[in-house]
Structures are given as C-alpha cells and as structure tokens.
Amino acid sequence: MNVTITLGGLLVGLVLILRQFLPSAWVMLKLKAGGKGRGFDGEAAPTRFNIREHVPFLLGTTVGMLAISCPGGIIGTIAAKIVGFSNTAGDKVLAAGAGGTTTSVTRHATASMTQYGALVTVLLVAAVIILRKLLDKKMRGQLGAGVWCGSTLGLSAGAAGLLGSVLIPAVNQLGHMIGGQA
C-alpha cells in the first residue's frame, strides 16, 4: 500500500495537535503574565499542566501512527483513507487560505512492521475501540482526534523517524514476546 501525505495533510495533523494542547498552553501563559487563569470557556483553569488530561489524545496518536504503518488489511486501509481525507481538506485550505500549492512530504520509516508487530497493533486498535465505549464524551473526542492525528502525521518526516527508531521496533519486540518468539 503506497500512501503519501501532502503539505495540506501535514497542516491538518498539526492543527489537531494545536487543538489539543493550545488551550492548556494559553492558560499557562496567561497565568505567567498575571492573568486570572480562565480558559477559553471561561471556567477556572488548573495552575499547572496536567499530562493526564491529554492521555487519550496521546494514546490515539500512537495507535494512529502504528495503523498507518500497517502494510495493508482493514486497519491500514482505514488509516490510508484518513490520510486521503486529511490531504484533500488540508490542500483545499492551504490553496484557498494562503494561495499555496501542495507537495508530498512523505518519509517512510526505516523499520518495517512484522506480523508480530501487526498482532500488537490489532490488539491496540481493539483496546481503543473498547475504551471508546467506556470513556466520557470529551475523552472519546480526544481519542478520535489522536487517531486521526497519528494516522495523518505518521508518514511525515519527524513522526516517521519516531516510528522507525522507537515505536515499530518496540511493537515488533512486544509481538515476539507475546508470540513466544523472543
């Protein structure tokens, strides 16, 4: 399966990251400047950055990055469709908003996922589906946005480096341990 990410798709993935982390950063900057510490919605905001609030997004991003690394199958096909939607939407926004043209920014991970890594990826996707039913609405949205973001950014230069050097080898090794092939 040959999937490419365009500059517009990269834009969509980066906007999803901003959507997740910008409100917390805004409150922290406002507090540092002596503001009242109110969030975008007017509610009192915490005085410190709490990574636990972002765990569903980060989990979804990791699973999305692994999904786009799958060599095929239903998971790889769905992740490729997500990238296609992101490319189309981002390219239109880039062209209409800034008059920019698009180009491919795909970088492929150096490590490839084995069948053992695919086993772990399927288990993680199943865990995300199960968690989606158990989480509240806000966390479900974060989880879905994370999967979308990870699928979209998984082939970009920085994320492909992370995938190739850390995530895919770790998932392959975990799969080997589960399958008894240590």
Side-chain angles (χ1 to χ4, degrees):
M1 181 169 46
N2 189 9
V3 180
T4 61
I5 180 173
T6 65
L7 201 54
L10 182 68
L11 172 72
V12 169
L14 293 174
V15 165
L16 288 170
I17 290 174
L18 285 176
R19 176 189 163 271
Q20 180 65 33
F21 292 103
L22 192 61
S24 296
W26 173 260
V27 169
M28 296 305 298
L29 288 172
K30 193 172 177 183
L31 282 172
K32 196 168 200 153
K36 294 190 185 211
R38 299 278 177 197
F40 288 133
D41 55 5
E43 291 184 19
T47 57
R48 295 177 41 164
F49 180 80
N50 187 357
I51 192 69
R52 285 177 267 172
E53 295 175 5
H54 305 287
V55 168
F57 180 81
L58 296 171
L59 172 66
T61 302
T62 303
V63 171
M65 290 172 74
L66 290 171
I68 197 63
S69 300
C70 286
I74 293 172
I75 293 172
T77 301
I78 290 172
K81 293 219 180 276
I82 289 172
V83 171
F85 291 140
S86 295
N87 286 343
T88 301
D91 291 345
K92 287 182 181 181
V93 168
L94 196 60
T101 58
T102 188
T103 184
S104 175
V105 292
T106 301
R107 302 289 186 271
H108 293 285
T110 54
S112 61
M113 188 176 294
T114 66
Q115 64 271 23
Y116 294 102
L119 167 74
V120 173
T121 302
V122 170
L123 289 173
L124 287 172
V125 168
V128 164
I129 291 169
I130 293 167
L131 276 176
R132 185 159 166 43
K133 299 290 184 184
L134 300 174
L135 296 174
D136 65 14
K137 186 177 180 180
K138 179 182 176 187
M139 289 184 171
R140 276 195 308 263
Q142 287 181 1
L143 189 64
V147 170
W148 195 283
C149 178
S151 295
T152 301
L153 294 181
L155 298 177
S156 65
L162 175 67
L163 270 170
S165 63
V166 177
L167 286 177
I168 291 176
V171 167
N172 286 340
Q173 184 61 37
L174 181 59
H176 282 284
M177 288 191 303
I178 291 171
Q181 298 290 323

